[in-house]
Amino acid sequence: MHLLKKYKSSLNIKITMITIIFIVLGMFSMILYTNLSVARLTDKTLNTMDRELYYLLDEYYTNYINEISVRIEADYNGYLEEVQILGGIFQEVLDKDNALEAVMAVVKADPYFKDRIIFNGKWGQNTSDEPTAVFMGRYLYDDNGEIKANVQNAIDKTAIFDMIMPSFVSHGKNKIQIYYTGGVDEDYTRMAPWVDIGHSVYDVYPELYDLPIWETFNPGLVDEWTERMLDKGIGNPKLIRVSQPIQDGITGGIILGVTYPIWDRETQTFKGHVAYDITIESIIEQVEDIKISNTGFAMLIQSNGNIFAMNDKGADVLGLKNIDDSTLNNGTGIGFNRLNRYIQESTIESVRNLNYSEVNEIKEIELNGETYFFINKKMDSFVSWTPELGFYDEAWTLAFVVPRDEIYKMYINSEIQIKNDQNIAIKQQVGIGAVILGFVVIFVILYNSRMTSKLNALTNKVKQMKENNYQVDFDIHSEDEIGKLANAFEGMQQEIQDSLSRLKVQNELLKDEIDERIKKDRIIDYLENFDSQTDLLNKKALLNMLKDMSLDFDQTFVSLIIIGLDEFRKINDAYTFKVGDEIIQMLATKLDQIVQSHELLFRIGGDEFAILFKGKDLNALILKVEEINALFGKSFSIRMHEVVLSASIGVSTFPHDTSDTLDLFKYATIAMNHAKASNRGGSEYYNEEMNYSARNRIEMIHELNQAIERNELSLCFQPIMKIDTNKATGVEVLLRWHSKKFGHISPSLFIKLAEESKLIIKIGSWVIKASFEALGKFEAAGFVGLEMAINISVIQLMQHDLVAETKALLEKYPVKEKQIIYEVTEGLFINDFDRVRTTFAELEQLGILISIDDFGTGYSSLSYLKNIAINKLKIDRSFISELHDKTGWEITNAIIALANNLNLKVVAEGVEELEQLEHLRERGCNEAQGFFFSRPVDLEHCIEYLNQYWN
């Protein structure tokens, strides 16, 4: 009885039981009715529509893709037929070259067919007024600058094609250009229309100045083509080769190359090929513009899975790159760029697993949660070739990708309609249920009207708590659930008040803790990465930077310079640690003053600093090390003490020493320790793993920079003889370097290093001064009026005030006019011509003669002989050594004749045989020098020689 009374007094039980009874009755009726209606409509309608729509889809898209593929096949088959016609003409003409000799003679004599080829030193090319362009690299020229005989013969045989090739360009299929390229060792190019190949093509491919075309572009093609010809026969269409689609490095367009090989029927050897360069932009645009439903797209796929035609929308759907991002550049920004967008590289697994070679089957694939239809057609094949695969049959696949929902739009609309009918039915049932529920609600409201007043009061008080008012007075007193709920809310309100008080205290403590932690983190970060004494980055920061180091685009190396103070502990012992700290701070300031904006300074230990140096000029690195060394040549004034510091420096360079920038710290430390052990106060470059030539270069420049101070440079003299009297008239000064570290160094090596590092200015000044001093010694030995020839570098003349230096030496040493001869090379005249002319004029006023050394091998322009003060021409030894050859003979005679006509003296260098001397005497050469008379010797031995032959 007590339990029953409890349930009767429960408001929740009363309301819940009545509501559940009526809702269950109503919903049961509506669900039963809905299920019967939907099952009957859905099964009957949708199954029929799905079957019929699939049959329609298969028929429509099969016909559509066949029509598009036929148009594309007709397009490229037309090119194959046309190139076969033109190739057949070429083959027929070259087969009958003997029978056509008379015709060829007429063609060769006619100005229309005259190939006027001009050689500019890099390539040869005919003039733009001719019907076709003829081009060849300089490797097809002989040593005399003439076209090789076999190449010239091949060019003459194809001159008749000047009538044919322009016509094929202007008519028939659209093409970019037609060209014929000769075979191995005859690989010149004849192209229509006329194009400035030398600048528009060969500036893009500079390697073709000196490299054969076949082995550069298509290594192995000629041999494989020949094997295929022997199997198929000359003229077989299966010999026509179609290249893969590529982006042309000149035009930026997508092109194909269609080539037809030409053969020598008698020898069965390759003669060359006729080639079409055609653009397939129209085919690509045709495929990209195909309209398939609203968002469907088409694509063209190579047999290897490379997609070369597809719009950006399709690339995004298939998880592939667009055409710009998938084009592989060759690293230089020029040349042919491969299109590289493979199905196998898609980011979507279903695309990677797609079998696109199957035909006549509609496939369904899932792409990003959406279903697509895949329809494809394999097109007619043609022959292609690559160095990796050789000859193979290439067939493109045309494919359509269409969203299933767009094709099944009618089906989906019907399905929606059915669902609408279902919704109508449900609404009808809901209406019935609503009536039933209405009676329930009215009954509940009437029954519960007296009991809800307390519930409403409780609700209002809870709303006050929701608005953060926790001082609500719950004055509801009853024995039912509402009374109990009111008591529970009142207890919860008190608990919330206590929790808020505790939370406020905890928040204040947490805020203080966070502020303190941030402060500590900043201090820790500073202590971890900076030296507190000098505010410089520390060793940890250096190692972190080395780990992530990379070269900028304008830099070629990164060097780490470690500076270790020698015996700094003794300074601390002698002057206290406080003085030592001040010295460290002063040294840090001085080092910071010489560090450039792109360099970083670190303090990596108590008495060690480091500089991270980036650059592209190794000489700049050497100068930086010398600048650091110079800091320690002066004393430091600290608290009335003059302290002299010494430092040993170690240098390591990336990528010369290591491929890992982290190794720079280890290697530079090793180099510094080596300096402390064997060269205290000096610098050492790490050399254990360094590339030999790079290390040698750095060390040799370093040694050469100190060669003068170490007295390692010396002069040698080679007598110059007057040919008609066999008496000495002068000497040429030659520089020699005997390094204490490297031994005897060839002038051809160290002179080049001196010029590249600009040390030639310093060394050249030493040579001129030493030569003036030596001339005084020759005079004192009795050789009054002896001429002395001194070699002057182009850099020395153009970047140095040579006139002022010479004038100062003439005032110091008693030298007569026209006794000093400055020898310069022809390359000088490529520079500032007006400055050269002015400098020579000023030197002439000082009584200095000018001789052109190695005449005929450099800037071979005769204008400077007339417009600049020049006194002598020196025939290069290469021409003298080839006097037995007709070319060397004629060039030497021409130079002597030219000099005599211009009243210039001629000196022949490199004379080693009596026969050479006799020829020079007969041709009127004035002077000579060489091993026939004397090798270069020192001053003492030269004086002994002159005593025998002085006039």
Side-chain angles (χ1 to χ4, degrees):
M1 293 297 293
H2 178 73
L3 182 61
L4 181 60
K5 183 178 180 181
K6 179 179 179 182
Y7 280 126
K8 287 182 178 180
S9 65
S10 172
L11 176 64
N12 185 40
I13 291 296
K14 294 174 182 178
I15 296 175
T16 300
M17 291 301 296
I18 295 172
T19 303
I20 289 175
I21 291 172
F22 283 95
I23 288 177
V24 168
L25 290 174
M27 293 305 296
F28 178 81
S29 300
M30 288 187 290
I31 291 172
L32 180 61
Y33 178 83
T34 300
N35 286 339
L36 292 174
S37 300
V38 171
R40 186 168 56 254
L41 285 171
T42 302
D43 292 341
K44 182 177 180 179
T45 305
L46 295 182
N47 289 337
T48 302
M49 290 183 62
D50 182 54
R51 182 175 61 256
E52 296 299 327
L53 190 57
Y54 182 84
Y55 293 148
L56 181 63
L57 167 70
D58 182 49
E59 181 178 0
Y60 172 76
Y61 280 108
T62 300
N63 292 335
Y64 189 16
I65 200 168
N66 286 338
E67 179 186 350
I68 298 298
S69 64
V70 167
R71 291 209 301 262
I72 295 174
E73 288 167 351
D75 200 359
Y76 65 69
N77 283 332
Y79 284 109
L80 296 177
E81 294 169 0
E82 189 174 309
V83 79
Q84 187 173 7
I85 294 171
L86 179 59
I89 295 172
F90 270 62
Q91 184 68 59
E92 187 71 17
V93 171
L94 294 178
D95 284 347
K96 298 179 178 179
D97 58 345
N98 292 330
L100 296 174
E101 283 185 359
V103 177
M104 293 298 185
V106 174
V107 168
K108 186 175 181 181
D110 193 304
Y112 179 82
F113 300 98
K114 191 68 174 177
D115 293 316
R116 292 173 288 278
I117 300 174
I118 300 172
F119 182 52
N120 70 353
K122 293 182 178 179
W123 67 77
Q125 181 171 278
N126 62 354
T127 55
S128 61
D129 57 348
E130 301 188 39
T132 62
V134 177
F135 176 89
M136 69 201 69
R138 59 187 170 201
Y139 60 90
L140 295 179
Y141 283 80
D142 60 21
D143 294 338
N144 299 322
E146 300 292 336
I147 300 174
K148 294 179 180 179
N150 64 313
V151 179
Q152 184 63 60
N153 182 46
I155 293 172
D156 293 341
K157 287 183 179 181
T158 60
I160 194 171
F161 298 134
D162 282 356
M163 294 190 303
I164 301 172
M165 294 174 70
S167 299
F168 270 79
V169 171
S170 303
H171 300 86
K173 304 285 289 182
N174 290 330
K175 70 277 296 180
I176 301 172
Q177 59 212 8
I178 297 173
Y179 58 91
Y180 171 80
T181 301
V184 178
D185 297 330
E186 296 178 358
D187 44 351
Y188 70 95
T189 297
R190 183 180 293 277
M191 179 181 291
W194 193 96
V195 176
D196 185 1
I197 303 176
H199 291 96
S200 65
V201 176
Y202 279 77
D203 279 356
V204 178
Y205 308 106
E207 65 271 16
L208 295 183
Y209 298 147
D210 297 302
L211 298 176
I213 291 176
W214 292 108
E215 288 307 312
T216 301
F217 276 127
N218 299 299
L221 173 59
V222 173
D223 292 338
E224 293 187 36
W225 226 341
T226 303
E227 291 179 8
R228 192 173 180 85
M229 178 274 294
L230 295 174
D231 178 54
K232 304 291 184 182
I234 295 174
N236 192 306
K238 287 295 185 179
L239 295 179
I240 299 175
R241 179 178 72 95
V242 181
S243 71
Q244 296 184 5
I246 54 176
Q247 183 185 47
D248 184 31
I250 302 169
T251 65
I254 309 302
I255 67 171
L256 285 179
V258 184
T259 56
Y260 184 98
I262 307 298
W263 307 91
D264 187 322
R265 287 188 184 273
E266 293 182 2
T267 63
Q268 298 284 288
T269 57
F270 180 69
K271 290 289 291 181
H273 76 169
V274 180
Y276 275 25
D277 276 353
I278 61 176
T279 178
I280 58 171
E281 294 284 353
S282 60
I283 294 177
I284 294 174
E285 290 175 1
Q286 178 181 350
V287 172
E288 291 178 347
D289 294 340
I290 290 175
K291 183 69 174 177
I292 310 173
S293 70
N294 292 329
T295 61
F297 58 91
M299 58 183 173
L300 271 176
I301 315 171
Q302 291 179 254
S303 60
N304 61 3
N306 186 30
I307 303 175
F308 66 92
M310 178 174 63
N311 58 31
D312 289 344
K313 177 175 63 180
D316 184 59
V317 170
L318 295 181
L320 295 169
K321 300 177 182 177
N322 60 36
I323 191 67
D324 293 329
D325 294 337
S326 60
T327 301
L328 292 182
N329 293 321
N330 60 17
T332 63
I334 60 177
F336 292 120
N337 300 319
R338 291 175 43 232
L339 306 180
N340 190 36
R341 181 169 56 184
Y342 293 94
I343 283 182
Q344 299 86 341
E345 297 177 355
S346 169
T347 59
I348 302 173
E349 183 179 3
S350 59
V351 176
R352 295 195 299 271
N353 297 332
L354 184 63
N355 189 350
Y356 55 87
S357 61
E358 295 180 0
V359 296
N360 299 326
E361 180 184 354
I362 299 177
K363 307 177 185 67
E364 288 190 9
I365 57 175
E366 291 293 327
L367 302 176
N368 298 320
E370 186 175 356
T371 302
Y372 285 77
F373 285 123
F374 182 82
I375 309 101
N376 61 303
K377 169 69 185 304
K378 192 171 184 179
M379 301 166 63
D380 291 344
S381 66
F382 49 82
V383 177
S384 188
W385 178 91
T386 64
E388 298 80 13
L389 301 177
F391 283 99
Y392 65 95
D393 288 335
E394 169 68 10
W396 296 347
T397 297
L398 177 64
F400 294 165
V401 180
V402 192
R404 182 183 183 279
D405 288 350
E406 293 183 10
I407 296 177
Y408 276 65
K409 186 174 182 180
M410 182 179 69
Y411 175 88
I412 294 172
N413 289 339
S414 299
E415 186 177 13
I416 293 172
Q417 183 62 45
I418 292 173
K419 290 183 178 180
N420 288 337
D421 293 342
Q422 178 184 355
N423 290 336
I424 292 172
I426 292 174
K427 289 178 182 178
Q428 292 173 348
Q429 297 170 37
V430 169
I432 296 172
V435 173
I436 298 172
L437 289 175
F439 284 107
V440 173
V441 170
I442 293 172
F443 179 80
V444 170
I445 292 174
L446 293 175
Y447 187 83
N448 199 43
S449 60
R450 292 190 305 169
M451 298 187 297
T452 55
S453 59
K454 294 180 181 179
L455 185 61
N456 291 334
L458 180 61
T459 301
N460 290 332
K461 294 181 183 298
V462 171
K463 287 181 179 179
Q464 294 179 37
M465 289 180 60
K466 181 180 178 181
E467 296 172 356
N468 297 328
N469 180 9
Y470 300 112
Q471 305 294 328
V472 178
D473 183 14
F474 288 89
D475 55 351
I476 298 175
H477 303 285
S478 65
E479 297 297 328
D480 57 14
E481 283 82 353
I482 296 176
K484 295 176 182 179
L485 185 61
N487 293 332
F489 274 117
E490 189 170 16
M492 183 178 68
Q493 177 180 254
Q494 183 60 46
E495 186 175 345
I496 290 173
Q497 290 175 350
D498 296 341
S499 297
L500 287 175
S501 299
R502 291 193 300 270
L503 185 61
K504 183 177 180 181
V505 174
Q506 291 174 356
N507 283 342
E508 290 296 330
L509 295 174
L510 182 60
K511 182 177 181 300
D512 293 340
E513 183 178 348
I514 291 173
D515 291 342
E516 184 66 22
R517 182 170 297 178
I518 292 173
K519 183 178 179 182
K520 289 180 179 179
D521 287 345
R522 289 175 178 172
I523 295 173
I524 291 171
D525 182 66
Y526 176 82
L527 294 175
E528 285 183 347
N529 293 283
F530 287 86
D531 175 55
S532 59
Q533 184 178 353
T534 61
D535 279 339
L536 296 177
L537 292 166
N538 62 16
K539 180 178 178 180
K540 181 180 179 181
L542 171 60
L543 294 177
N544 287 334
M545 289 184 184
L546 289 177
K547 181 172 63 176
D548 301 325
M549 182 67 65
S550 62
L551 292 176
D552 296 334
F553 72 95
D554 60 342
Q555 297 167 343
T556 59
F557 68 89
V558 177
S559 292
L560 181 63
I561 306 170
I562 293 184
I563 307 155
L565 301 181
D566 296 328
E567 297 184 338
F568 189 70
R569 179 178 56 80
K570 293 182 178 180
I571 294 177
N572 284 329
D573 294 342
Y575 301 107
T576 74
F577 283 98
K578 190 170 186 179
V579 172
D581 290 344
E582 291 182 12
I583 291 175
I584 290 295
Q585 291 171 347
M586 181 179 293
L587 178 57
T589 301
K590 290 181 178 293
L591 288 171
D592 189 56
Q593 291 171 353
I594 66 172
V595 169
Q596 303 296 319
S597 59
H598 60 279
E599 303 165 1
L600 286 174
L601 176 63
F602 303 80
R603 186 186 182 195
I604 59 174
D607 58 356
E608 291 183 357
F609 293 85
I611 295 177
L612 198 58
F613 182 94
K614 289 186 178 181
K616 59 181 179 179
D617 184 1
L618 291 175
N619 191 45
L621 171 62
I622 294 172
L623 294 176
K624 175 61 67 176
V625 173
E626 292 180 353
E627 187 178 7
I628 296 170
N629 267 325
L631 286 179
F632 297 95
K634 303 174 183 178
S635 61
F636 290 73
S637 297
I638 302 292
R639 300 192 177 203
M640 301 181 67
H641 299 293
E642 294 294 325
V643 180
V644 177
L645 292 180
S646 171
S648 298
I649 300 174
V651 184
S652 181
T653 302
F654 167 86
H656 299 308
D657 295 347
T658 175
S659 59
D660 186 352
T661 52
L662 269 177
D663 288 338
L664 287 178
F665 183 82
K666 178 176 68 175
Y667 292 161
T669 302
I670 292 172
M672 181 200 68
N673 291 333
H674 187 270
K676 284 181 176 290
S678 60
N679 187 22
R680 177 167 294 179
S683 58
E684 290 286 340
Y685 295 85
Y686 179 77
N687 59 17
E688 184 176 353
E689 299 292 339
M690 186 184 293
N691 175 276
Y692 178 76
S693 59
R695 183 182 72 248
N696 241 26
R697 175 186 172 84
I698 294 174
E699 295 180 355
M700 196 168 288
I701 291 174
H702 181 74
E703 293 296 312
L704 186 58
N705 189 36
Q706 303 179 53
I708 296 176
E709 290 76 7
R710 295 175 176 175
N711 293 322
E712 294 178 353
L713 299 180
S714 62
L715 299 182
C716 285
F717 306 90
Q718 186 173 41
I720 300 174
M721 309 298 289
K722 191 172 183 181
I723 293 178
D724 57 355
T725 64
N726 199 34
K727 296 295 184 180
T729 61
V731 294
E732 180 181 2
V733 179
L734 300 170
L735 180 62
R736 297 292 183 265
W737 178 30
H738 188 84
S739 169
K740 294 179 181 178
K741 184 170 185 177
F742 295 102
H744 177 74
I745 309 298
S746 170
S748 61
L749 175 60
F750 75 79
I751 292 297
K752 182 179 179 181
L753 286 177
E755 289 180 335
E756 291 175 356
S757 61
K758 304 298 187 296
L759 291 175
I760 193 66
I761 297 175
K762 172 183 175 182
I763 294 173
S765 296
W766 180 88
V767 170
I768 296 175
K769 181 181 178 183
S771 298
F772 273 69
E773 293 175 351
L775 183 59
K777 295 178 181 179
F778 278 116
E779 292 269 353
F783 306 111
V784 179
L786 177 76
E787 293 182 351
M788 178 170 285
I790 306 171
N791 289 283
I792 302 297
S793 167
V794 174
I795 297 174
Q796 191 178 356
L797 190 141
M798 299 303 296
Q799 301 183 17
H800 182 62
D801 194 348
L802 181 63
V803 175
E805 181 180 5
T806 303
K807 186 176 181 181
L809 290 172
L810 288 173
E811 293 173 355
K812 182 177 180 180
Y813 297 95
V815 177
K816 302 179 182 65
E817 285 192 1
K818 301 183 179 180
Q819 199 171 359
I820 295 294
I821 305 168
Y822 282 169
E823 289 192 0
V824 297
T825 61
E826 287 181 292
L828 173 68
F829 302 102
I830 300 176
N831 295 278
D832 188 342
F833 186 84
D834 292 334
R835 178 173 177 180
V836 172
R837 180 170 54 189
T838 301
T839 301
F840 280 8
E842 293 175 354
L843 290 172
E844 183 182 30
Q845 292 178 2
L846 296 176
I848 303 298
L849 300 181
I850 302 297
S851 174
I852 305 303
D853 197 8
D854 302 333
F855 183 75
T857 63
Y859 180 71
S860 300
S861 171
L862 302 181
S863 61
Y864 67 81
L865 296 178
K866 180 178 66 175
N867 298 320
I868 292 184
I870 296 173
N871 307 99
K872 289 186 179 185
L873 298 182
K874 206 166 195 180
I875 305 175
D876 186 66
R877 66 178 65 250
S878 62
F879 300 135
I880 302 302
S881 65
E882 296 177 356
L883 280 177
H884 60 280
D885 182 73
K886 181 180 178 182
T887 302
W889 178 286
E890 291 177 350
I891 292 175
T892 302
N893 293 345
I895 295 173
I896 295 173
L898 174 66
N900 290 336
N901 290 334
L902 295 175
N903 294 323
L904 301 176
K905 284 187 177 182
V906 187
V907 182
E909 63 177 351
V911 177
E912 298 181 0
E913 300 173 0
L914 179 60
E915 182 183 354
Q916 296 171 343
L917 181 64
E918 291 301 327
H919 173 79
L920 294 170
R921 180 182 287 114
E922 291 173 4
R923 294 299 171 183
C925 181
N926 304 106
E927 298 172 340
Q929 66 183 95
F931 289 178
F932 180 79
F933 303 105
S934 172
R935 293 178 177 271
V937 294
D938 58 23
L939 179 66
E940 181 180 350
H941 288 88
C942 188
I943 289 175
E944 292 179 2
Y945 183 88
L946 293 177
N947 281 328
Q948 302 176 47
Y949 293 97
W950 180 245
N951 53 6

Coordinates of all heavy atoms in Angstrom, one line a residue, residues 764-791:
G764 N 102.7 41.7 -61.1 CA 103.2 42.4 -62.3 C 104.0 43.6 -61.9 O 105.1 43.9 -62.6
S765 N 103.6 44.4 -60.9 CA 104.4 45.5 -60.4 C 105.8 45.1 -60.0 O 106.8 45.8 -60.3 CB 103.7 46.2 -59.3 OG 102.5 46.8 -59.8
W766 N 105.9 44.0 -59.3 CA 107.2 43.4 -58.9 C 108.1 43.1 -60.1 O 109.3 43.4 -60.1 CB 107.0 42.2 -58.0 CG 108.3 41.6 -57.5 CD1 109.0 42.0 -56.4 CD2 109.1 40.6 -58.1 NE1 110.1 41.3 -56.2 CE2 110.2 40.4 -57.3 CE3 108.9 39.9 -59.3 CZ2 111.2 39.5 -57.7 CZ3 109.9 39.0 -59.6 CH2 111.0 38.7 -58.8
V767 N 107.5 42.4 -61.1 CA 108.2 42.0 -62.3 C 108.8 43.3 -63.0 O 109.9 43.3 -63.4 CB 107.3 41.2 -63.2 CG1 108.0 41.0 -64.6 CG2 107.0 39.9 -62.6
I768 N 107.9 44.3 -63.2 CA 108.4 45.5 -63.9 C 109.6 46.1 -63.2 O 110.6 46.5 -63.7 CB 107.3 46.5 -64.1 CG1 106.2 45.9 -65.0 CG2 107.8 47.8 -64.7 CD1 104.9 46.8 -65.1
K769 N 109.4 46.3 -61.8 CA 110.5 46.9 -61.0 C 111.8 46.0 -61.1 O 112.9 46.6 -61.3 CB 110.1 47.1 -59.6 CG 111.1 47.7 -58.7 CD 110.6 47.9 -57.3 CE 111.7 48.5 -56.4 NZ 111.3 48.5 -55.0
A770 N 111.6 44.7 -60.9 CA 112.8 43.8 -61.0 C 113.4 43.8 -62.4 O 114.7 43.7 -62.5 CB 112.4 42.4 -60.6
S771 N 112.7 44.0 -63.4 CA 113.2 44.1 -64.8 C 114.0 45.3 -65.0 O 115.1 45.3 -65.6 CB 112.0 44.0 -65.8 OG 111.3 42.8 -65.7
F772 N 113.5 46.4 -64.5 CA 114.3 47.7 -64.6 C 115.6 47.5 -63.9 O 116.7 48.0 -64.3 CB 113.5 48.9 -64.0 CG 112.6 49.5 -65.0 CD1 111.4 48.8 -65.4 CD2 112.8 50.8 -65.4 CE1 110.6 49.4 -66.3 CE2 111.9 51.4 -66.3 CZ 110.8 50.7 -66.8
E773 N 115.6 46.9 -62.7 CA 116.9 46.7 -61.9 C 117.8 45.8 -62.7 O 119.0 46.0 -62.8 CB 116.6 46.1 -60.6 CG 115.8 47.0 -59.6 CD 115.4 46.3 -58.3 OE1 115.6 45.1 -58.3 OE2 115.0 47.0 -57.4
A774 N 117.2 44.7 -63.3 CA 118.1 43.8 -64.1 C 118.7 44.5 -65.3 O 119.8 44.2 -65.7 CB 117.2 42.6 -64.6
L775 N 117.9 45.4 -66.0 CA 118.4 46.1 -67.1 C 119.6 46.9 -66.8 O 120.6 47.0 -67.5 CB 117.3 47.0 -67.7 CG 117.7 47.7 -69.0 CD1 118.1 46.8 -70.1 CD2 116.5 48.6 -69.5
G776 N 119.6 47.5 -65.5 CA 120.8 48.2 -65.1 C 122.0 47.3 -65.0 O 123.1 47.8 -65.3
K777 N 121.8 46.1 -64.5 CA 122.9 45.1 -64.4 C 123.4 44.7 -65.8 O 124.6 44.6 -66.0 CB 122.5 43.9 -63.6 CG 122.1 44.2 -62.2 CD 121.6 43.0 -61.4 CE 121.2 43.3 -60.0 NZ 120.7 42.2 -59.3
F778 N 122.5 44.6 -66.8 CA 123.0 44.3 -68.1 C 123.8 45.4 -68.7 O 124.8 45.2 -69.3 CB 121.8 44.0 -69.0 CG 121.2 42.6 -68.9 CD1 119.9 42.4 -68.5 CD2 121.9 41.5 -69.3 CE1 119.4 41.2 -68.4 CE2 121.4 40.3 -69.3 CZ 120.2 40.1 -68.8
E779 N 123.3 46.7 -68.4 CA 124.1 47.9 -68.9 C 125.5 47.9 -68.2 O 126.5 48.2 -68.9 CB 123.3 49.1 -68.5 CG 122.0 49.3 -69.2 CD 122.1 50.1 -70.5 OE1 123.2 50.6 -70.8 OE2 121.2 50.2 -71.3
A780 N 125.5 47.6 -66.9 CA 126.8 47.6 -66.2 C 127.7 46.6 -66.8 O 129.0 46.7 -66.7 CB 126.6 47.4 -64.7
A781 N 127.2 45.5 -67.3 CA 128.0 44.4 -67.9 C 128.5 44.7 -69.3 O 129.1 43.9 -69.9 CB 127.2 43.1 -67.9
G782 N 128.1 45.9 -69.8 CA 128.5 46.3 -71.2 C 127.5 46.2 -72.3 O 127.8 46.5 -73.4
F783 N 126.3 45.8 -72.0 CA 125.3 45.7 -73.1 C 124.4 46.9 -73.1 O 123.3 46.9 -72.8 CB 124.5 44.4 -72.8 CG 125.3 43.2 -72.6 CD1 125.4 42.6 -71.3 CD2 126.0 42.7 -73.6 CE1 126.1 41.4 -71.1 CE2 126.8 41.5 -73.4 CZ 126.9 40.9 -72.2
V784 N 125.1 48.0 -73.6 CA 124.4 49.3 -73.6 C 123.4 49.3 -74.8 O 123.7 48.8 -75.9 CB 125.4 50.4 -73.8 CG1 124.7 51.8 -74.0 CG2 126.5 50.4 -72.7
G785 N 122.2 49.7 -74.5 CA 121.2 49.8 -75.6 C 120.4 48.5 -75.7 O 119.6 48.3 -76.6
L786 N 120.6 47.5 -74.8 CA 119.9 46.2 -74.8 C 118.4 46.4 -74.6 O 118.0 47.1 -73.7 CB 120.4 45.3 -73.7 CG 119.7 43.9 -73.6 CD1 120.2 43.0 -74.7 CD2 120.0 43.3 -72.2
E787 N 117.6 45.9 -75.5 CA 116.2 46.0 -75.4 C 115.7 44.9 -74.5 O 116.2 43.8 -74.5 CB 115.5 45.8 -76.8 CG 115.8 46.9 -77.8 CD 115.1 46.7 -79.1 OE1 114.5 45.6 -79.3 OE2 115.1 47.6 -79.9
M788 N 114.7 45.3 -73.7 CA 114.1 44.3 -72.7 C 112.6 44.2 -72.9 O 111.9 45.3 -72.7 CB 114.5 44.7 -71.3 CG 113.9 43.7 -70.2 SD 114.6 44.1 -68.6 CE 116.2 43.3 -68.7
A789 N 112.1 43.0 -73.2 CA 110.6 42.9 -73.4 C 110.0 42.3 -72.1 O 110.5 41.3 -71.6 CB 110.4 41.9 -74.6
I790 N 109.0 43.0 -71.6 CA 108.3 42.6 -70.4 C 106.8 42.3 -70.7 O 106.2 43.1 -71.3 CB 108.4 43.7 -69.4 CG1 109.8 44.2 -69.1 CG2 107.7 43.3 -68.1 CD1 110.0 45.4 -68.3
N791 N 106.4 41.1 -70.3 CA 105.0 40.8 -70.6 C 104.0 41.5 -69.6 O 104.3 41.5 -68.4 CB 104.8 39.3 -70.4 CG 105.4 38.5 -71.5 OD1 104.9 38.4 -72.6 ND2 106.6 37.9 -71.2

